[in-house]
Amino acid sequence: MPTCPDCDVSMEPVDHQTSYGGDGVRIETSGGVLGALDLKGTHLDAYLCPECNLVRFYAD
Ligand SMILES: [Zn+2]
Protein backbone atom coordinates (compact mmCIF):
# COMPACT_ATOMS: atom_id res chain seq x y z
CA MET A 1 0.00 0.00 0.00
CA PRO A 2 1.45 3.43 -0.92
CA THR A 3 2.35 5.91 1.78
CA CYS A 4 1.64 9.64 1.57
CA PRO A 5 4.93 11.53 1.12
CA ASP A 6 3.64 14.41 3.24
CA CYS A 7 1.78 12.68 6.08
CA ASP A 8 3.61 9.34 6.18
CA VAL A 9 0.35 7.43 6.54
CA SER A 10 -1.02 4.57 4.44
CA MET A 11 -3.05 5.68 1.44
CA GLU A 12 -6.37 4.01 0.64
CA PRO A 13 -7.48 2.70 -2.76
CA VAL A 14 -10.24 4.83 -4.23
CA ASP A 15 -12.75 4.29 -6.99
CA HIS A 16 -11.88 6.75 -9.73
CA GLN A 17 -14.09 5.39 -12.45
CA THR A 18 -15.83 8.00 -14.53
CA SER A 19 -18.99 8.20 -16.59
CA TYR A 20 -17.00 7.76 -19.79
CA GLY A 21 -17.61 4.05 -19.74
CA GLY A 22 -16.61 2.87 -16.29
CA ASP A 23 -13.18 1.77 -17.36
CA GLY A 24 -11.22 3.99 -14.99
CA VAL A 25 -8.57 6.57 -15.67
CA ARG A 26 -5.99 5.87 -18.33
CA ILE A 27 -2.85 7.66 -19.37
CA GLU A 28 -3.03 9.63 -22.60
CA THR A 29 0.10 9.81 -24.70
CA SER A 30 -0.56 13.25 -26.12
CA GLY A 31 2.89 14.43 -25.12
CA GLY A 32 4.74 15.49 -22.03
CA VAL A 33 6.24 13.28 -19.38
CA LEU A 34 3.50 10.70 -19.41
CA GLY A 35 3.80 10.26 -23.15
CA ALA A 36 7.54 9.72 -22.81
CA LEU A 37 6.83 6.76 -20.55
CA ASP A 38 5.00 5.02 -23.40
CA LEU A 39 2.20 3.75 -21.18
CA LYS A 40 -0.66 4.36 -23.56
CA GLY A 41 -3.83 2.71 -22.42
CA THR A 42 -2.35 1.49 -19.17
CA HIS A 43 -4.88 1.19 -16.38
CA LEU A 44 -4.20 3.37 -13.35
CA ASP A 45 -4.88 2.65 -9.71
CA ALA A 46 -5.72 5.64 -7.51
CA TYR A 47 -4.83 5.97 -3.84
CA LEU A 48 -6.13 8.66 -1.48
CA CYS A 49 -4.43 10.05 1.61
CA PRO A 50 -7.03 10.27 4.41
CA GLU A 51 -5.08 13.09 6.06
CA CYS A 52 -4.49 15.63 3.30
CA ASN A 53 -6.65 14.19 0.48
CA LEU A 54 -3.70 13.80 -1.85
CA VAL A 55 -4.46 11.36 -4.67
CA ARG A 56 -1.70 9.47 -6.43
CA PHE A 57 -2.04 7.36 -9.55
CA TYR A 58 -0.08 4.20 -10.19
CA ALA A 59 0.11 2.40 -13.51
CA ASP A 60 -0.43 -1.33 -13.40
ZN1 LIG B 1 -1.19 13.15 3.12
Side-chain angles (χ1 to χ4, degrees):
M1 196 68 68
T3 300
C4 179
D6 295 327
C7 309
D8 198 30
V9 298
S10 294
M11 300 177 76
E12 303 170 352
V14 293
D15 182 1
H16 58 83
Q17 290 187 351
T18 70
S19 61
Y20 293 107
D23 200 25
V25 175
R26 289 176 183 271
I27 294 173
E28 298 290 344
T29 54
S30 56
V33 175
L34 292 180
L37 294 176
D38 192 27
L39 291 172
K40 182 177 182 180
T42 300
H43 181 73
L44 297 179
D45 293 321
Y47 292 89
L48 169 70
C49 172
E51 296 294 328
C52 68
N53 292 328
L54 171 73
V55 176
R56 304 188 95 182
F57 288 100
Y58 291 83
D60 279 343

Coordinates of all heavy atoms in Angstrom, one line a residue:
M1 N 0.9 -1.2 0.0 CA 0.0 0.0 0.0 C 0.9 1.2 0.0 O 1.8 1.3 0.8 CB -0.9 0.0 1.2 CG -2.1 0.9 1.1 SD -3.3 0.5 -0.1 CE -3.9 -1.0 0.6
P2 N 0.6 2.2 -0.9 CA 1.5 3.4 -0.9 C 1.3 4.2 0.4 O 0.3 4.1 1.1 CB 0.9 4.2 -2.1 CG 0.1 3.2 -2.9 CD -0.4 2.2 -1.9
T3 N 2.3 5.0 0.6 CA 2.3 5.9 1.8 C 2.4 7.4 1.3 O 3.2 7.7 0.4 CB 3.6 5.6 2.7 OG1 3.5 4.3 3.1 CG2 3.6 6.5 3.9
C4 N 1.6 8.2 1.9 CA 1.6 9.6 1.6 C 3.0 10.2 1.9 O 3.5 10.1 3.0 CB 0.6 10.4 2.3 SG 0.5 12.2 2.0
P5 N 3.6 10.9 0.9 CA 4.9 11.5 1.1 C 4.9 12.7 2.1 O 5.9 13.1 2.7 CB 5.3 12.0 -0.3 CG 4.0 12.2 -1.0 CD 3.1 11.2 -0.4
D6 N 3.7 13.3 2.3 CA 3.6 14.4 3.2 C 3.3 14.0 4.7 O 3.8 14.5 5.6 CB 2.6 15.4 2.7 CG 3.0 16.0 1.4 OD1 4.3 16.2 1.2 OD2 2.2 16.3 0.6
C7 N 2.3 13.1 4.8 CA 1.8 12.7 6.1 C 2.4 11.4 6.6 O 2.2 11.1 7.8 CB 0.3 12.5 6.0 SG -0.6 14.0 5.2
D8 N 3.0 10.6 5.8 CA 3.6 9.3 6.2 C 2.6 8.4 6.8 O 2.8 7.7 7.7 CB 4.7 9.6 7.2 CG 5.6 8.3 7.3 OD1 5.8 7.6 6.3 OD2 6.2 8.1 8.4
V9 N 1.4 8.4 6.1 CA 0.4 7.4 6.5 C 0.0 6.6 5.3 O 0.2 7.0 4.2 CB -0.9 8.2 7.1 CG1 -0.5 8.9 8.3 CG2 -1.5 9.1 6.0
S10 N -0.6 5.4 5.5 CA -1.0 4.6 4.4 C -2.1 5.2 3.6 O -3.1 5.8 4.2 CB -1.5 3.2 5.0 OG -0.4 2.5 5.6
M11 N -2.0 5.1 2.3 CA -3.1 5.7 1.4 C -4.0 4.6 1.1 O -3.7 3.4 1.0 CB -2.4 6.3 0.2 CG -1.4 7.4 0.5 SD -0.6 8.1 -0.9 CE -1.9 9.1 -1.6
E12 N -5.3 5.0 0.9 CA -6.4 4.0 0.6 C -6.8 4.0 -0.8 O -6.8 5.0 -1.5 CB -7.6 4.4 1.5 CG -7.3 4.5 3.0 CD -8.5 5.1 3.8 OE1 -9.4 5.5 3.1 OE2 -8.4 5.0 5.0
P13 N -7.0 2.8 -1.4 CA -7.5 2.7 -2.8 C -8.8 3.4 -2.9 O -9.7 3.3 -2.0 CB -7.7 1.2 -3.0 CG -7.0 0.5 -1.9 CD -7.0 1.5 -0.7
V14 N -9.0 4.1 -4.0 CA -10.2 4.8 -4.2 C -10.8 4.5 -5.6 O -10.0 4.1 -6.5 CB -10.1 6.4 -4.1 CG1 -9.7 6.8 -2.7 CG2 -9.0 6.8 -5.1
D15 N -12.1 4.5 -5.7 CA -12.8 4.3 -7.0 C -12.7 5.6 -7.8 O -13.3 6.6 -7.4 CB -14.2 3.9 -6.7 CG -14.9 3.5 -8.0 OD1 -14.3 3.6 -9.1 OD2 -16.1 3.2 -7.9
H16 N -12.0 5.5 -8.9 CA -11.9 6.7 -9.7 C -12.5 6.6 -11.1 O -12.2 7.3 -12.0 CB -10.4 7.1 -9.9 CG -9.6 6.0 -10.5 ND1 -9.5 5.8 -11.9 CD2 -8.8 5.1 -10.0 CE1 -8.8 4.8 -12.1 NE2 -8.3 4.3 -11.0
Q17 N -13.4 5.6 -11.2 CA -14.1 5.4 -12.5 C -15.0 6.6 -12.8 O -15.6 7.2 -11.9 CB -14.9 4.1 -12.4 CG -14.1 2.9 -12.3 CD -14.9 1.6 -12.4 OE1 -16.1 1.7 -12.4 NE2 -14.2 0.5 -12.6
T18 N -15.1 6.8 -14.1 CA -15.8 8.0 -14.5 C -17.1 7.6 -15.3 O -17.3 6.4 -15.5 CB -15.0 8.9 -15.4 OG1 -14.7 8.2 -16.7 CG2 -13.6 9.2 -14.8
S19 N -17.8 8.5 -15.8 CA -19.0 8.2 -16.6 C -18.6 8.0 -18.1 O -19.5 7.8 -18.9 CB -20.0 9.4 -16.5 OG -19.4 10.5 -17.0
Y20 N -17.4 7.9 -18.4 CA -17.0 7.8 -19.8 C -17.1 6.3 -20.2 O -16.8 6.0 -21.4 CB -15.6 8.3 -20.0 CG -15.4 9.7 -19.9 CD1 -14.8 10.3 -18.8 CD2 -16.0 10.6 -20.8 CE1 -14.7 11.7 -18.6 CE2 -15.9 12.0 -20.7 CZ -15.2 12.5 -19.6 OH -15.1 13.8 -19.4
G21 N -17.5 5.4 -19.4 CA -17.6 4.0 -19.7 C -17.2 3.1 -18.6 O -17.2 1.9 -18.8
G22 N -16.9 3.7 -17.5 CA -16.6 2.9 -16.3 C -15.3 2.1 -16.4 O -15.2 1.1 -15.7
D23 N -14.4 2.5 -17.2 CA -13.2 1.8 -17.4 C -12.0 2.4 -16.6 O -10.9 2.0 -16.8 CB -12.8 1.7 -18.9 CG -11.9 0.5 -19.1 OD1 -11.9 -0.4 -18.3 OD2 -11.2 0.6 -20.1
G24 N -12.3 3.4 -15.8 CA -11.2 4.0 -15.0 C -10.4 5.0 -15.8 O -10.6 5.2 -16.9
V25 N -9.4 5.6 -15.1 CA -8.6 6.6 -15.7 C -7.4 5.9 -16.4 O -6.8 5.0 -15.9 CB -8.0 7.5 -14.6 CG1 -7.0 8.5 -15.2 CG2 -9.1 8.2 -13.9
R26 N -7.1 6.4 -17.6 CA -6.0 5.9 -18.3 C -5.1 7.0 -18.8 O -5.5 8.1 -19.0 CB -6.5 5.1 -19.6 CG -7.1 3.8 -19.1 CD -7.7 3.0 -20.3 NE -8.4 1.8 -19.9 CZ -7.7 0.6 -19.8 NH1 -6.5 0.5 -20.1 NH2 -8.4 -0.4 -19.4
I27 N -3.8 6.7 -18.9 CA -2.9 7.7 -19.4 C -3.0 8.0 -20.9 O -3.1 7.0 -21.7 CB -1.4 7.1 -19.1 CG1 -1.2 7.0 -17.6 CG2 -0.4 8.1 -19.7 CD1 0.1 6.4 -17.3
E28 N -3.0 9.2 -21.2 CA -3.0 9.6 -22.6 C -1.6 10.0 -23.0 O -0.9 10.7 -22.3 CB -3.9 10.9 -22.8 CG -5.4 10.6 -22.4 CD -6.1 9.7 -23.4 OE1 -5.5 9.5 -24.5 OE2 -7.1 9.2 -23.0
T29 N -1.2 9.5 -24.2 CA 0.1 9.8 -24.7 C 0.1 11.0 -25.7 O 0.5 10.8 -26.8 CB 0.7 8.6 -25.4 OG1 -0.2 8.1 -26.4 CG2 0.9 7.5 -24.3
S30 N -0.5 12.1 -25.3 CA -0.6 13.3 -26.1 C 0.7 14.1 -26.0 O 0.7 15.2 -26.5 CB -1.8 14.1 -25.8 OG -1.8 14.4 -24.4
G31 N 1.7 13.7 -25.3 CA 2.9 14.4 -25.1 C 3.2 14.6 -23.7 O 2.6 14.1 -22.8
G32 N 4.3 15.3 -23.4 CA 4.7 15.5 -22.0 C 5.4 14.3 -21.4 O 5.7 13.3 -22.1
V33 N 5.5 14.3 -20.1 CA 6.2 13.3 -19.4 C 5.5 11.9 -19.5 O 6.2 10.9 -19.7 CB 6.4 13.7 -17.9 CG1 7.0 12.5 -17.1 CG2 7.2 14.9 -17.8
L34 N 4.2 12.0 -19.4 CA 3.5 10.7 -19.4 C 3.7 10.0 -20.8 O 3.8 8.8 -20.8 CB 2.0 10.9 -19.1 CG 1.7 11.4 -17.7 CD1 0.2 11.6 -17.5 CD2 2.2 10.4 -16.7
G35 N 3.6 10.8 -21.8 CA 3.8 10.3 -23.2 C 5.2 9.6 -23.3 O 5.3 8.6 -24.0
A36 N 6.2 10.2 -22.7 CA 7.5 9.7 -22.8 C 7.7 8.3 -22.2 O 8.6 7.6 -22.5 CB 8.5 10.7 -22.2
L37 N 6.8 8.0 -21.2 CA 6.8 6.8 -20.5 C 6.2 5.6 -21.4 O 6.4 4.5 -21.0 CB 6.1 6.8 -19.2 CG 6.7 7.8 -18.2 CD1 5.8 7.9 -17.0 CD2 8.1 7.3 -17.8
D38 N 5.6 6.0 -22.5 CA 5.0 5.0 -23.4 C 4.1 4.1 -22.7 O 4.3 2.8 -22.7 CB 6.1 4.3 -24.1 CG 5.5 3.4 -25.3 OD1 4.5 3.8 -25.8 OD2 6.2 2.4 -25.6
L39 N 3.1 4.6 -21.9 CA 2.2 3.8 -21.2 C 0.8 3.9 -21.7 O -0.2 3.9 -21.0 CB 2.3 4.1 -19.7 CG 3.5 3.8 -19.0 CD1 3.5 4.4 -17.6 CD2 3.7 2.2 -18.9
K40 N 0.6 4.1 -23.0 CA -0.7 4.4 -23.6 C -1.6 3.3 -23.2 O -1.4 2.1 -23.4 CB -0.5 4.5 -25.1 CG -1.9 4.8 -25.7 CD -1.7 5.0 -27.3 CE -3.0 5.3 -27.9 NZ -2.9 5.5 -29.4
G41 N -2.8 3.7 -22.7 CA -3.8 2.7 -22.4 C -3.6 1.9 -21.1 O -4.4 1.1 -20.8
T42 N -2.6 2.2 -20.4 CA -2.3 1.5 -19.2 C -3.3 1.9 -18.1 O -3.6 3.1 -17.8 CB -0.9 1.8 -18.7 OG1 0.0 1.4 -19.7 CG2 -0.6 1.0 -17.4
H43 N -3.9 0.9 -17.5 CA -4.9 1.2 -16.4 C -4.1 1.8 -15.2 O -3.0 1.4 -14.9 CB -5.6 -0.1 -16.0 CG -6.6 0.1 -14.9 ND1 -7.8 0.8 -15.1 CD2 -6.6 -0.2 -13.6 CE1 -8.5 0.8 -14.0 NE2 -7.7 0.3 -13.0
L44 N -4.8 2.7 -14.5 CA -4.2 3.4 -13.4 C -5.0 3.0 -12.1 O -6.2 3.0 -12.1 CB -4.2 4.9 -13.5 CG -3.4 5.4 -14.7 CD1 -3.5 7.0 -14.7 CD2 -1.9 5.0 -14.5
D45 N -4.3 2.8 -11.0 CA -4.9 2.7 -9.7 C -4.7 3.9 -8.9 O -3.6 4.6 -9.0 CB -4.2 1.5 -8.9 CG -4.5 0.2 -9.6 OD1 -5.6 0.0 -10.1 OD2 -3.6 -0.7 -9.6
A46 N -5.8 4.4 -8.3 CA -5.7 5.6 -7.5 C -5.7 5.3 -6.0 O -6.4 4.5 -5.5 CB -6.9 6.5 -7.9
Y47 N -4.9 6.1 -5.3 CA -4.8 6.0 -3.8 C -5.0 7.3 -3.2 O -4.4 8.3 -3.7 CB -3.5 5.3 -3.4 CG -3.4 3.9 -3.9 CD1 -2.8 3.6 -5.1 CD2 -3.8 2.9 -3.0 CE1 -2.7 2.3 -5.5 CE2 -3.7 1.6 -3.4 CZ -3.2 1.3 -4.7 OH -3.1 0.0 -5.1
L48 N -5.8 7.4 -2.1 CA -6.1 8.7 -1.5 C -5.5 8.7 -0.1 O -5.6 7.7 0.7 CB -7.6 8.8 -1.4 CG -8.2 9.9 -0.5 CD1 -7.9 11.3 -1.1 CD2 -9.7 9.7 -0.3
C49 N -4.9 9.8 0.3 CA -4.4 10.1 1.6 C -5.6 10.6 2.5 O -6.2 11.6 2.1 CB -3.3 11.1 1.6 SG -2.8 11.5 3.3
P50 N -5.9 9.9 3.6 CA -7.0 10.3 4.4 C -6.7 11.5 5.2 O -7.6 12.1 5.8 CB -7.2 9.1 5.3 CG -5.9 8.4 5.4 CD -5.3 8.6 4.1
E51 N -5.5 11.9 5.3 CA -5.1 13.1 6.1 C -5.2 14.4 5.3 O -5.7 15.4 5.7 CB -3.7 12.9 6.6 CG -3.5 11.8 7.6 CD -4.3 12.0 8.9 OE1 -4.4 13.2 9.3 OE2 -4.8 11.0 9.5
C52 N -4.6 14.4 4.1 CA -4.5 15.6 3.3 C -5.2 15.5 2.0 O -5.2 16.5 1.2 CB -3.0 16.0 3.0 SG -2.2 14.9 1.9
N53 N -5.9 14.4 1.7 CA -6.6 14.2 0.5 C -5.8 14.2 -0.8 O -6.3 14.4 -1.9 CB -7.8 15.2 0.4 CG -8.8 15.0 1.4 OD1 -9.1 13.9 1.8 ND2 -9.4 16.1 1.9
L54 N -4.5 14.0 -0.7 CA -3.7 13.8 -1.8 C -4.1 12.5 -2.6 O -4.3 11.5 -1.9 CB -2.2 13.7 -1.4 CG -1.3 13.3 -2.6 CD1 -1.1 14.5 -3.5 CD2 0.1 12.9 -2.0
V55 N -4.2 12.6 -3.9 CA -4.5 11.4 -4.7 C -3.3 11.1 -5.6 O -2.8 12.0 -6.3 CB -5.7 11.5 -5.5 CG1 -5.9 10.3 -6.4 CG2 -6.9 11.7 -4.6
R56 N -2.8 9.9 -5.6 CA -1.7 9.5 -6.4 C -2.2 8.4 -7.4 O -3.0 7.5 -7.0 CB -0.5 9.0 -5.6 CG 0.0 9.9 -4.6 CD 1.3 9.4 -4.0 NE 2.5 10.0 -4.7 CZ 3.7 9.7 -4.4 NH1 4.0 8.9 -3.4 NH2 4.7 10.3 -5.0
F57 N -1.7 8.4 -8.6 CA -2.0 7.4 -9.5 C -0.8 6.5 -9.8 O 0.3 6.9 -10.0 CB -2.5 8.0 -10.9 CG -3.8 8.7 -10.8 CD1 -3.9 10.0 -10.6 CD2 -5.0 7.9 -10.8 CE1 -5.2 10.7 -10.5 CE2 -6.2 8.5 -10.8 CZ -6.3 9.9 -10.6
Y58 N -1.1 5.2 -9.9 CA -0.1 4.2 -10.2 C -0.5 3.4 -11.4 O -1.6 2.9 -11.4 CB 0.2 3.3 -9.0 CG 0.8 3.9 -7.8 CD1 0.1 4.6 -6.9 CD2 2.2 3.9 -7.7 CE1 0.7 5.3 -5.8 CE2 2.8 4.5 -6.6 CZ 2.0 5.2 -5.7 OH 2.6 5.8 -4.6
A59 N 0.4 3.2 -12.3 CA 0.1 2.4 -13.5 C 0.3 0.9 -13.1 O 1.2 0.6 -12.4 CB 1.0 2.8 -14.7
D60 N -0.6 0.1 -13.7 CA -0.4 -1.3 -13.4 C 0.8 -1.8 -14.0 O 1.2 -1.4 -15.1 CB -1.6 -2.1 -14.0 CG -2.8 -2.0 -13.1 OD1 -2.7 -1.7 -11.9 OD2 -3.9 -2.3 -13.6
Ligands
ZN1 ZN -1.2 13.1 3.1

